Amino acid sequence: MAIPVIDFSKLNGEERAKTLAQIATCCEEWGFFQLINHGISEELLDRVKKVASECYRVERETGFKNSKPVQLLSDLIEKESDERVENVDWEEVFLLSDENSDEWPTRTLGFKVTMQEYREELKKLAIQVMEVMDENLGLPKGYINKAFNGGEDTTNSAFFGTKVSHYPPCPHPEKVNGLRAHTDAGGVILLFQDDEVDGLQILKDGVWIDVQPMKNAIVINTGDQIEVLSNGRYKSVWHRVMARPDGNRRSIASFYNPSLKATIEPAAELVAAEAEKEAAEEESTAKYPRFVFGDYMSVYVEQKFLPKEPRFKAVKAV
């Protein structure tokens, strides 16, 4: 079984209605899909791959070799233990955002200018994807983006971050997680994954399915806040990364999240539509509480790798 692939360029042609329906199905039944012909140039994507891999080799690899996961795994092997390494991930990772631009890697030629250009293109794509979700859900254009910006008509208060990860070869992949299973806390996630080394999997109907590597595709997945805004029509999906004995898997995940001050709740239009459909009171069909995203994140950081439903209950009590 393969993750659906969507030709994003067909939204601008005769197949627009069909493509919108395909994306709606992806959001409702998969929570993940791959975009091709998304408008980001191959030349830029090639530069991103180059500077990310070079940055790991020049600036990050030594640190990973001395990291806690490597040490814990070495200790288990030395003791000839049958146990697994728990509560850590076989991942080398750092975050890029507008707020920490003075902390970006500096010893890799072209890294900062390339990643700034890439992030600008990804942010535009994120907004386009959210507008498609608005249309499919029957919401006004810009609804999700406006909610993420705290109700302001601006794109400056929503948070846009980029997580640059590498999953180096692991001598005993059966004993450690590449990245533990979780759902994403935020809004729309845009992943530029390795096109040679696999390892990303999603949970679909109780079965773990590989997200197939695909050159220059952007993988889209929906986070917990899209699930809330859609009143459960779109679900955030469990996913994980498996450690691998060979290859150094590159993963560049960008996420368009609400402002920490934004209030998130099911869209009133969707609650009303469901109430009408079920001949029920509106209040009884809102499946998620109203909350401030910063409060949700406070719960999420403590419960990221646990079932998501208790997070919504916990934030309701905040």
Side-chain angles (χ1 to χ4, degrees):
M1 189 182 297
I3 306 302
V5 177
I6 302 293
D7 185 339
F8 207 53
S9 68
K10 290 185 177 180
L11 284 173
N12 300 318
E14 295 178 354
E15 296 186 49
R16 176 176 176 81
K18 178 181 177 182
T19 305
L20 283 170
Q22 289 173 337
I23 294 174
T25 298
C26 290
C27 292
E28 292 173 7
E29 298 181 8
W30 287 83
F32 266 75
F33 54 98
Q34 303 215 47
L35 285 187
I36 59 173
N37 297 325
H38 39 62
I40 302 174
S41 72
E42 290 190 8
E43 184 274 334
L44 176 56
L45 294 177
D46 286 343
R47 280 194 283 132
V48 170
K49 288 189 280 189
K50 180 179 178 180
V51 298
S53 296
E54 183 72 2
C55 180
Y56 174 78
R57 186 184 67 81
V58 172
E59 306 189 47
R60 312 292 300 187
E61 185 172 16
T62 299
F64 180 76
K65 289 179 177 178
N66 296 314
S67 67
K68 182 178 179 181
V70 173
Q71 186 58 56
L72 289 173
L73 181 60
S74 297
D75 291 346
L76 278 186
I77 301 307
E78 187 175 326
K79 295 175 184 177
E80 298 183 354
S81 171
D82 292 331
E83 297 178 5
R84 297 183 83 253
V85 179
E86 302 293 348
N87 301 319
V88 296
D89 302 301
W90 192 264
E91 177 187 39
E92 202 293 314
V93 58
F94 60 94
L95 177 70
L96 307 176
S97 71
D98 294 340
E99 290 77 7
N100 77 346
S101 59
D102 58 337
E103 301 171 9
W104 290 21
T106 57
R107 291 189 285 126
T108 302
L109 185 65
F111 182 89
K112 188 166 188 176
V113 65
T114 296
M115 295 308 295
Q116 284 176 329
E117 183 180 347
Y118 173 72
R119 278 171 42 80
E120 288 174 6
E121 292 300 311
L122 258 286
K123 184 182 283 190
K124 294 175 189 174
L125 182 59
I127 292 171
Q128 290 177 315
V129 169
M130 289 188 291
E131 288 178 350
V132 169
M133 292 179 178
D134 290 332
E135 186 170 349
N136 277 333
L137 289 167
L139 297 172
K141 182 178 181 179
Y143 182 97
I144 295 173
N145 192 26
K146 188 175 181 180
F148 283 4
N149 281 282
E152 301 173 14
D153 290 316
T154 174
T155 56
N156 292 327
S157 58
F159 179 79
F160 187 70
T162 300
K163 190 180 84 160
V164 181
S165 301
H166 282 83
Y167 301 92
C170 180
H172 295 276
E174 76 284 355
K175 289 186 171 293
V176 67
N177 299 293
L179 178 60
R180 286 163 284 172
H182 63 286
T183 67
D184 289 323
V188 174
I189 298 84
L190 306 94
L191 169 67
F192 184 31
Q193 70 164 345
D194 202 296
D195 54 21
E196 296 180 2
V197 184
D198 65 1
L200 175 62
Q201 297 181 330
I202 71 167
L203 190 62
K204 167 74 169 163
D205 300 327
V207 178
W208 287 103
I209 300 170
D210 292 331
V211 179
Q212 67 274 20
M214 194 169 191
K215 187 174 181 179
N216 292 337
I218 300 294
V219 181
I220 305 294
N221 75 281
T222 49
D224 295 348
Q225 307 315 304
I226 295 292
E227 179 170 330
V228 173
L229 283 168
S230 70
N231 203 30
R233 274 181 60 180
Y234 296 172
K235 294 286 198 298
S236 59
V237 174
W238 284 85
H239 53 285
R240 68 184 183 185
V241 177
M242 305 298 290
R244 291 288 190 246
D246 303 306
N248 184 15
R249 175 182 164 78
R250 179 188 59 255
S251 173
I252 304 171
S254 298
F255 36 93
Y256 196 102
N257 285 357
S259 159
L260 290 175
K261 297 179 180 179
T263 298
I264 303 298
E265 62 184 322
E269 293 91 332
L270 301 182
V271 173
E274 190 161 331
E276 184 176 332
K277 182 175 69 176
E278 298 180 1
E281 293 295 326
E282 284 191 20
E283 290 78 11
S284 68
T285 58
K287 300 174 182 176
Y288 302 84
R290 184 175 190 264
F291 54 81
V292 174
F293 181 60
D295 292 337
Y296 185 84
M297 284 304 298
S298 296
V299 174
Y300 181 85
V301 294
E302 300 293 332
Q303 301 182 18
K304 176 177 179 177
F305 303 108
L306 299 175
K308 64 182 173 181
E309 289 76 13
R311 298 200 290 260
F312 296 122
K313 294 180 180 178
V315 81
K316 186 177 182 179
V318 170

